[in-house]
Amino acid sequence: MIKQNRAMELYRFIAAVMILCYHCHWFAFREEGTRFIGFYLFVELFFILSGFLMMGAIRRHVTEEDRRDPAGMTVRYMKKRLRQLFPHHLLSWVLVALIQVFLLRNIWPIQIFQIGWSEILLVNIFGFVRGEYINIVCWYLSALVFASLLLHYLLLRDENSFLRVGAPLLLVVCYGTLYDRAGCLAATILFTRFAPHLGFMRALADMTVGCLAYRAWEWMEDVELPGEGILATILEAAVFVASALYMYRCSGKLDFLFVPLFFAFVISVFRGRSLWTRLFDNRLSAWLGRQSYAYFLNNVVAVYLCMYLFPEAGIGAMIWFCVPLCLLISVVTGSVLKKLTW
Protein backbone atom coordinates (compact mmCIF):
# COMPACT_ATOMS: atom_id res chain seq x y z
CA MET A 1 0.00 0.00 0.00
CA ILE A 2 1.20 3.53 -0.84
CA LYS A 3 1.88 5.67 2.20
CA GLN A 4 2.00 9.45 2.06
CA ASN A 5 5.38 10.35 0.62
CA ARG A 6 6.34 13.84 1.71
CA ALA A 7 9.51 13.82 -0.38
CA MET A 8 7.46 13.33 -3.54
CA GLU A 9 5.16 16.13 -2.40
CA LEU A 10 8.19 18.42 -2.30
CA TYR A 11 9.42 17.22 -5.70
CA ARG A 12 5.98 17.92 -7.13
CA PHE A 13 6.11 21.48 -5.83
CA ILE A 14 9.64 21.97 -7.21
CA ALA A 15 8.41 20.73 -10.59
CA ALA A 16 5.65 23.37 -10.49
CA VAL A 17 8.29 26.04 -9.78
CA MET A 18 10.37 24.82 -12.73
CA ILE A 19 7.33 25.05 -14.99
CA LEU A 20 6.79 28.61 -13.78
CA CYS A 21 10.34 29.42 -14.93
CA TYR A 22 9.42 28.05 -18.36
CA HIS A 23 6.32 30.21 -18.48
CA CYS A 24 8.42 33.28 -17.66
CA HIS A 25 10.57 32.41 -20.67
CA TRP A 26 7.56 31.63 -22.87
CA PHE A 27 5.41 34.68 -22.22
CA ALA A 28 7.95 37.45 -21.90
CA PHE A 29 11.47 36.49 -22.87
CA ARG A 30 11.54 34.19 -25.87
CA GLU A 31 13.83 36.69 -27.55
CA GLU A 32 16.43 36.43 -24.77
CA GLY A 33 17.98 33.15 -25.81
CA THR A 34 17.22 29.66 -24.63
CA ARG A 35 17.33 29.85 -20.83
CA PHE A 36 14.65 27.64 -19.22
CA ILE A 37 13.49 26.56 -22.69
CA GLY A 38 13.08 22.90 -21.72
CA PHE A 39 11.55 23.23 -18.27
CA TYR A 40 8.17 22.22 -19.72
CA LEU A 41 9.43 18.65 -19.31
CA PHE A 42 8.58 18.75 -15.62
CA VAL A 43 4.96 18.42 -16.76
CA GLU A 44 5.93 14.81 -17.52
CA LEU A 45 6.64 14.29 -13.84
CA PHE A 46 3.15 15.59 -13.00
CA PHE A 47 1.46 13.29 -15.50
CA ILE A 48 3.50 10.20 -14.56
CA LEU A 49 2.83 10.81 -10.87
CA SER A 50 -0.91 11.24 -11.60
CA GLY A 51 -0.98 7.89 -13.38
CA PHE A 52 0.93 6.24 -10.53
CA LEU A 53 -1.46 7.55 -7.89
CA MET A 54 -4.55 6.72 -9.95
CA MET A 55 -3.36 3.15 -10.34
CA GLY A 56 -2.69 2.99 -6.62
CA ALA A 57 -6.20 4.25 -5.83
CA ILE A 58 -7.68 1.56 -8.08
CA ARG A 59 -5.66 -1.20 -6.43
CA ARG A 60 -6.58 -0.03 -2.93
CA HIS A 61 -10.23 0.89 -3.22
CA VAL A 62 -11.78 -0.94 -6.18
CA THR A 63 -13.27 -4.36 -5.47
CA GLU A 64 -14.03 -7.16 -7.89
CA GLU A 65 -17.68 -6.23 -7.68
CA ASP A 66 -16.85 -2.62 -8.62
CA ARG A 67 -15.01 -3.85 -11.71
CA ARG A 68 -18.30 -5.20 -13.06
CA ASP A 69 -19.40 -1.58 -13.57
CA PRO A 70 -16.29 0.17 -14.98
CA ALA A 71 -18.26 3.04 -16.48
CA GLY A 72 -20.09 3.86 -13.24
CA MET A 73 -16.91 3.62 -11.13
CA THR A 74 -15.04 5.82 -13.60
CA VAL A 75 -17.76 8.47 -13.47
CA ARG A 76 -17.62 8.47 -9.66
CA TYR A 77 -13.84 8.74 -9.72
CA MET A 78 -13.91 11.67 -12.14
CA LYS A 79 -16.54 13.49 -10.10
CA LYS A 80 -14.26 13.27 -7.08
CA ARG A 81 -11.25 14.51 -9.05
CA LEU A 82 -13.17 17.40 -10.56
CA ARG A 83 -14.44 18.48 -7.14
CA GLN A 84 -10.79 18.73 -6.10
CA LEU A 85 -9.39 20.46 -9.18
CA PHE A 86 -12.15 22.42 -10.91
CA PRO A 87 -12.52 25.20 -8.29
CA HIS A 88 -8.79 26.00 -8.54
CA HIS A 89 -9.01 25.88 -12.32
CA LEU A 90 -12.00 28.21 -12.50
CA LEU A 91 -10.60 30.76 -10.06
CA SER A 92 -7.20 30.91 -11.77
CA TRP A 93 -8.91 31.26 -15.16
CA VAL A 94 -11.02 34.18 -13.90
CA LEU A 95 -7.95 35.91 -12.46
CA VAL A 96 -6.02 35.55 -15.73
CA ALA A 97 -8.99 36.89 -17.71
CA LEU A 98 -9.40 39.92 -15.44
CA ILE A 99 -5.69 40.75 -15.63
CA GLN A 100 -5.73 40.57 -19.42
CA VAL A 101 -8.84 42.75 -19.74
CA PHE A 102 -8.24 45.41 -17.11
CA LEU A 103 -4.47 45.53 -16.58
CA LEU A 104 -2.67 44.30 -19.68
CA ARG A 105 -5.60 45.27 -21.93
CA ASN A 106 -4.61 42.80 -24.62
CA ILE A 107 -8.12 41.39 -25.12
CA TRP A 108 -11.64 42.83 -25.20
CA PRO A 109 -14.20 41.68 -22.59
CA ILE A 110 -16.35 40.08 -25.29
CA GLN A 111 -13.37 37.92 -26.34
CA ILE A 112 -13.15 36.32 -22.90
CA PHE A 113 -15.96 33.87 -23.55
CA GLN A 114 -15.51 33.70 -27.32
CA ILE A 115 -12.02 32.37 -26.75
CA GLY A 116 -12.23 30.90 -23.28
CA TRP A 117 -15.49 28.95 -23.09
CA SER A 118 -13.76 25.70 -24.05
CA GLU A 119 -11.12 26.31 -21.38
CA ILE A 120 -13.76 26.85 -18.71
CA LEU A 121 -15.47 23.59 -19.66
CA LEU A 122 -12.11 21.78 -19.96
CA VAL A 123 -12.79 20.64 -23.53
CA ASN A 124 -10.08 22.77 -25.16
CA ILE A 125 -8.04 19.67 -26.06
CA PHE A 126 -10.58 19.04 -28.83
CA GLY A 127 -9.60 22.18 -30.71
CA PHE A 128 -12.85 24.14 -30.59
CA VAL A 129 -10.83 27.38 -30.48
CA ARG A 130 -7.55 27.16 -32.35
CA GLY A 131 -4.44 29.24 -31.73
CA GLU A 132 -5.99 31.47 -29.04
CA TYR A 133 -6.26 31.08 -25.30
CA ILE A 134 -7.01 32.92 -22.07
CA ASN A 135 -5.08 30.72 -19.64
CA ILE A 136 -2.77 28.46 -21.60
CA VAL A 137 -2.18 26.04 -18.71
CA CYS A 138 -5.81 24.91 -18.99
CA TRP A 139 -4.67 22.46 -21.66
CA TYR A 140 -2.92 20.50 -18.90
CA LEU A 141 -6.03 20.03 -16.77
CA SER A 142 -8.16 19.27 -19.81
CA ALA A 143 -5.70 16.61 -20.99
CA LEU A 144 -5.40 15.22 -17.45
CA VAL A 145 -9.17 14.86 -17.08
CA PHE A 146 -9.77 13.06 -20.38
CA ALA A 147 -6.66 10.87 -20.12
CA SER A 148 -7.70 9.87 -16.59
CA LEU A 149 -11.22 9.13 -17.82
CA LEU A 150 -9.99 6.78 -20.54
CA LEU A 151 -7.27 5.05 -18.51
CA HIS A 152 -9.43 4.54 -15.44
CA TYR A 153 -12.09 2.84 -17.56
CA LEU A 154 -9.57 0.62 -19.37
CA LEU A 155 -7.92 -0.43 -16.11
CA LEU A 156 -11.25 -1.40 -14.57
CA ARG A 157 -12.39 -3.15 -17.74
CA ASP A 158 -9.40 -5.49 -17.93
CA GLU A 159 -6.33 -4.34 -16.03
CA ASN A 160 -3.98 -7.18 -16.94
CA SER A 161 -4.74 -7.11 -20.65
CA PHE A 162 -4.34 -3.35 -20.79
CA LEU A 163 -1.00 -3.27 -18.95
CA ARG A 164 0.44 -6.21 -20.89
CA VAL A 165 -0.85 -5.41 -24.39
CA GLY A 166 -2.73 -2.13 -24.58
CA ALA A 167 -0.28 0.03 -22.65
CA PRO A 168 2.81 -0.83 -24.76
CA LEU A 169 0.86 -0.26 -27.99
CA LEU A 170 -0.51 3.03 -26.67
CA LEU A 171 2.99 4.23 -25.75
CA VAL A 172 4.35 3.41 -29.18
CA VAL A 173 1.48 5.22 -30.93
CA CYS A 174 1.43 8.29 -28.70
CA TYR A 175 5.16 8.86 -28.32
CA GLY A 176 5.71 7.95 -31.97
CA THR A 177 3.18 10.57 -33.05
CA LEU A 178 4.70 13.17 -30.72
CA TYR A 179 8.16 12.42 -32.06
CA ASP A 180 7.01 12.61 -35.67
CA ARG A 181 4.80 15.71 -35.45
CA ALA A 182 6.48 17.81 -32.76
CA GLY A 183 9.98 16.38 -32.42
CA CYS A 184 9.84 17.03 -28.67
CA LEU A 185 7.44 16.83 -25.72
CA ALA A 186 6.37 20.49 -25.83
CA ALA A 187 3.14 19.30 -27.37
CA THR A 188 0.21 21.68 -27.24
CA ILE A 189 -0.25 21.78 -31.03
CA LEU A 190 -3.63 20.94 -32.51
CA PHE A 191 -4.13 18.28 -35.13
CA THR A 192 -7.27 19.64 -36.75
CA ARG A 193 -10.42 21.34 -35.59
CA PHE A 194 -12.53 19.18 -33.23
CA ALA A 195 -9.75 16.56 -32.97
CA PRO A 196 -7.61 15.86 -29.88
CA HIS A 197 -4.30 17.68 -29.90
CA LEU A 198 -0.86 16.39 -29.03
CA GLY A 199 -1.20 17.52 -25.42
CA PHE A 200 -3.83 14.83 -24.87
CA MET A 201 -1.56 12.16 -26.34
CA ARG A 202 1.24 13.43 -24.12
CA ALA A 203 -0.97 13.10 -21.01
CA LEU A 204 -2.28 9.70 -22.06
CA ALA A 205 1.20 8.29 -22.68
CA ASP A 206 2.76 9.76 -19.53
CA MET A 207 -0.08 8.59 -17.28
CA THR A 208 0.22 5.12 -18.80
CA VAL A 209 3.91 5.20 -17.84
CA GLY A 210 2.77 6.10 -14.33
CA CYS A 211 0.44 3.09 -14.24
CA LEU A 212 3.29 0.82 -15.33
CA ALA A 213 5.53 2.43 -12.70
CA TYR A 214 3.00 1.50 -10.02
CA ARG A 215 2.93 -2.10 -11.23
CA ALA A 216 6.75 -2.20 -11.10
CA TRP A 217 6.76 -0.60 -7.64
CA GLU A 218 4.20 -3.15 -6.44
CA TRP A 219 6.30 -6.02 -7.76
CA MET A 220 9.40 -4.64 -6.00
CA GLU A 221 7.64 -3.68 -2.76
CA ASP A 222 8.96 -6.59 -0.68
CA VAL A 223 12.29 -6.91 -2.50
CA GLU A 224 15.37 -5.76 -0.58
CA LEU A 225 18.27 -4.76 -2.81
CA PRO A 226 21.81 -4.58 -1.39
CA GLY A 227 23.09 -1.02 -1.14
CA GLU A 228 19.78 0.37 -2.34
CA GLY A 229 19.89 3.37 0.00
CA ILE A 230 23.09 4.69 -1.56
CA LEU A 231 22.05 3.82 -5.10
CA ALA A 232 18.63 5.43 -4.68
CA THR A 233 20.18 8.60 -3.22
CA ILE A 234 22.52 8.89 -6.21
CA LEU A 235 19.80 8.01 -8.74
CA GLU A 236 17.28 10.56 -7.48
CA ALA A 237 19.84 13.35 -7.27
CA ALA A 238 21.25 12.49 -10.70
CA VAL A 239 17.84 12.45 -12.39
CA PHE A 240 16.77 15.79 -10.94
CA VAL A 241 20.10 17.54 -11.55
CA ALA A 242 20.52 16.11 -15.07
CA SER A 243 16.95 17.12 -15.90
CA ALA A 244 17.49 20.70 -14.75
CA LEU A 245 20.83 21.04 -16.55
CA TYR A 246 19.47 19.69 -19.83
CA MET A 247 16.22 21.64 -19.67
CA TYR A 248 17.93 24.92 -18.86
CA ARG A 249 19.29 25.23 -22.39
CA CYS A 250 17.95 22.33 -24.45
CA SER A 251 14.73 21.11 -26.04
CA GLY A 252 14.22 18.51 -28.72
CA LYS A 253 14.31 14.81 -29.48
CA LEU A 254 16.28 14.00 -26.34
CA ASP A 255 13.16 14.97 -24.36
CA PHE A 256 11.90 11.42 -24.74
CA LEU A 257 14.82 10.04 -22.71
CA PHE A 258 13.46 11.72 -19.61
CA VAL A 259 10.29 9.62 -19.59
CA PRO A 260 12.11 6.43 -18.48
CA LEU A 261 14.25 8.52 -16.12
CA PHE A 262 11.15 9.91 -14.42
CA PHE A 263 9.70 6.38 -14.43
CA ALA A 264 12.70 5.16 -12.38
CA PHE A 265 12.67 8.32 -10.25
CA VAL A 266 9.03 7.90 -9.16
CA ILE A 267 9.55 4.23 -8.27
CA SER A 268 12.68 5.05 -6.29
CA VAL A 269 11.06 7.88 -4.33
CA PHE A 270 8.04 5.77 -3.38
CA ARG A 271 10.29 2.92 -2.26
CA GLY A 272 11.59 5.41 0.30
CA ARG A 273 15.13 4.07 0.65
CA SER A 274 17.12 7.21 -0.26
CA LEU A 275 18.63 9.84 2.01
CA TRP A 276 16.43 12.47 0.34
CA THR A 277 13.25 10.65 1.32
CA ARG A 278 14.22 10.82 4.98
CA LEU A 279 15.56 14.37 4.71
CA PHE A 280 12.41 15.74 3.06
CA ASP A 281 9.98 13.80 5.25
CA ASN A 282 8.61 16.85 7.07
CA ARG A 283 5.52 19.02 7.36
CA LEU A 284 6.90 21.77 5.12
CA SER A 285 7.29 19.31 2.23
CA ALA A 286 3.73 18.07 2.75
CA TRP A 287 2.37 21.62 2.87
CA LEU A 288 4.20 22.68 -0.28
CA GLY A 289 2.95 19.56 -2.04
CA ARG A 290 -0.63 20.50 -1.22
CA GLN A 291 -0.08 23.81 -2.98
CA SER A 292 1.43 22.29 -6.13
CA TYR A 293 -1.68 22.02 -8.34
CA ALA A 294 -2.90 25.49 -7.42
CA TYR A 295 0.66 26.75 -7.93
CA PHE A 296 0.80 25.25 -11.40
CA LEU A 297 -2.60 26.64 -12.39
CA ASN A 298 -1.69 30.10 -11.06
CA ASN A 299 1.58 30.28 -13.01
CA VAL A 300 0.12 32.57 -15.63
CA VAL A 301 -1.54 34.80 -13.02
CA ALA A 302 1.86 35.51 -11.44
CA VAL A 303 3.62 36.01 -14.77
CA TYR A 304 0.98 38.44 -16.08
CA LEU A 305 1.03 40.45 -12.84
CA CYS A 306 4.80 40.73 -13.08
CA MET A 307 4.58 41.82 -16.72
CA TYR A 308 2.14 44.55 -15.68
CA LEU A 309 4.01 45.75 -12.59
CA PHE A 310 7.57 45.45 -13.95
CA PRO A 311 7.42 45.54 -17.76
CA GLU A 312 11.17 46.16 -18.04
CA ALA A 313 12.28 43.41 -15.64
CA GLY A 314 14.78 40.84 -16.87
CA ILE A 315 13.99 37.16 -16.74
CA GLY A 316 16.03 36.61 -13.57
CA ALA A 317 14.22 39.37 -11.69
CA MET A 318 10.91 38.13 -13.07
CA ILE A 319 11.48 34.62 -11.75
CA TRP A 320 12.58 35.87 -8.31
CA PHE A 321 9.38 37.92 -8.17
CA CYS A 322 7.00 35.31 -9.59
CA VAL A 323 8.09 32.30 -7.50
CA PRO A 324 6.98 33.71 -4.10
CA LEU A 325 4.10 35.66 -5.66
CA CYS A 326 2.63 32.51 -7.18
CA LEU A 327 2.86 30.73 -3.83
CA LEU A 328 1.12 33.64 -2.13
CA ILE A 329 -1.65 33.63 -4.75
CA SER A 330 -2.07 29.86 -4.37
CA VAL A 331 -2.35 30.06 -0.59
CA VAL A 332 -4.84 32.96 -0.73
CA THR A 333 -7.01 31.36 -3.44
CA GLY A 334 -6.91 28.04 -1.59
CA SER A 335 -8.12 29.74 1.59
CA VAL A 336 -10.90 31.48 -0.34
CA LEU A 337 -12.05 28.22 -1.93
CA LYS A 338 -12.16 26.45 1.45
CA LYS A 339 -14.73 29.00 2.62
CA LEU A 340 -16.95 28.41 -0.37
CA THR A 341 -19.40 25.55 -0.77
CA TRP A 342 -19.01 23.51 -3.94
Side-chain angles (χ1 to χ4, degrees):
M1 174 181 284
I2 298 178
K3 299 178 181 179
Q4 182 185 19
N5 191 301
R6 293 175 173 178
M8 182 55 81
E9 293 294 307
L10 179 62
Y11 290 136
R12 186 165 63 172
F13 177 78
I14 294 173
V17 173
M18 298 297 190
I19 296 166
L20 173 60
C21 295
Y22 171 72
H23 286 143
C24 289
H25 159 81
W26 174 260
F27 284 104
F29 297 101
R30 276 182 279 182
E31 72 281 0
E32 289 196 0
T34 59
R35 286 187 295 171
F36 307 106
I37 192 172
F39 274 26
Y40 59 80
L41 275 173
F42 281 101
V43 170
E44 265 52 55
L45 184 57
F46 268 98
F47 280 138
I48 291 172
L49 180 59
S50 294
F52 186 97
L53 295 175
M54 182 183 71
M55 182 73 176
I58 290 174
R59 301 288 280 185
R60 288 197 311 275
H61 302 303
V62 176
T63 65
E64 287 302 318
E65 184 176 349
D66 292 333
R67 291 179 184 272
R68 296 173 186 171
D69 182 22
M73 287 299 298
T74 299
V75 169
R76 286 193 285 274
Y77 171 79
M78 292 311 303
K79 285 181 178 179
K80 180 180 178 181
R81 289 292 285 156
L82 286 172
R83 281 197 298 269
Q84 294 171 339
L85 298 176
F86 190 80
H88 291 283
H89 152 68
L90 183 60
L91 186 53
S92 66
W93 187 92
V94 169
L95 290 174
V96 170
L98 291 175
I99 292 170
Q100 290 191 75
V101 171
F102 296 107
L103 297 182
L104 297 177
R105 298 184 179 180
N106 54 7
I107 61 172
W108 293 97
I110 194 173
Q111 291 179 286
I112 292 177
F113 294 104
Q114 289 178 338
I115 298 172
W117 67 269
S118 64
E119 294 178 10
I120 295 175
L121 299 177
L122 294 176
V123 294
N124 49 313
I125 63 162
F126 296 106
F128 292 104
V129 179
R130 300 182 62 196
E132 296 179 295
Y133 52 83
I134 301 297
N135 187 358
I136 194 172
V137 300
C138 290
W139 79 266
Y140 164 82
L141 195 54
S142 178
L144 177 69
V145 166
F146 283 96
S148 298
L149 185 69
L150 178 58
L151 288 177
H152 194 276
Y153 177 81
L154 292 174
L155 287 166
L156 291 187
R157 187 80 177 180
D158 191 340
E159 180 181 310
N160 289 328
S161 295
F162 174 72
L163 292 178
R164 292 173 183 174
V165 181
L169 290 174
L170 188 149
L171 293 180
V172 170
V173 171
C174 289
Y175 285 131
T177 303
L178 288 166
Y179 187 89
D180 179 61
R181 299 221 176 185
C184 66
L185 285 171
T188 54
I189 305 166
L190 300 178
F191 281 142
T192 56
R193 192 171 177 83
F194 305 121
H197 66 21
L198 299 184
F200 171 70
M201 302 192 77
R202 180 181 176 187
L204 189 60
D206 288 342
M207 289 188 68
T208 301
V209 170
C211 295
L212 293 172
Y214 184 88
R215 175 59 70 89
W217 172 85
E218 195 175 46
W219 176 75
M220 298 174 63
E221 188 174 8
D222 298 322
V223 177
E224 293 294 334
L225 302 175
E228 184 179 0
I230 297 174
L231 293 174
T233 300
I234 295 172
L235 170 68
E236 291 169 24
V239 169
F240 223 86
V241 171
S243 301
L245 290 175
Y246 168 81
M247 297 173 199
Y248 183 69
R249 288 287 187 182
C250 302
S251 169
K253 294 181 178 179
L254 291 179
D255 289 2
F256 294 89
L257 295 178
F258 288 90
V259 173
L261 289 180
F262 285 145
F263 171 89
F265 178 82
V266 168
I267 294 172
S268 177
V269 173
F270 274 100
R271 280 182 63 78
R273 305 297 201 274
S274 74
L275 171 65
W276 314 116
T277 302
R278 297 191 294 273
L279 184 63
F280 298 143
D281 184 16
N282 54 63
R283 292 181 180 180
L284 178 61
S285 297
W287 182 79
L288 290 172
R290 288 195 296 271
Q291 313 304 319
S292 57
Y293 270 110
Y295 194 97
F296 177 82
L297 293 172
N298 285 311
N299 271 195
V300 179
V301 178
V303 172
Y304 279 172
L305 281 175
C306 185
M307 290 170 61
Y308 172 73
L309 295 172
F310 308 106
E312 302 300 324
I315 189 168
M318 188 175 191
I319 288 172
W320 279 107
F321 179 81
C322 286
V323 168
L325 176 63
C326 192
L327 180 59
L328 176 62
I329 294 169
S330 301
V331 172
V332 171
T333 56
S335 299
V336 170
L337 291 172
K338 281 183 180 179
K339 296 178 180 179
L340 300 175
T341 301
W342 290 89

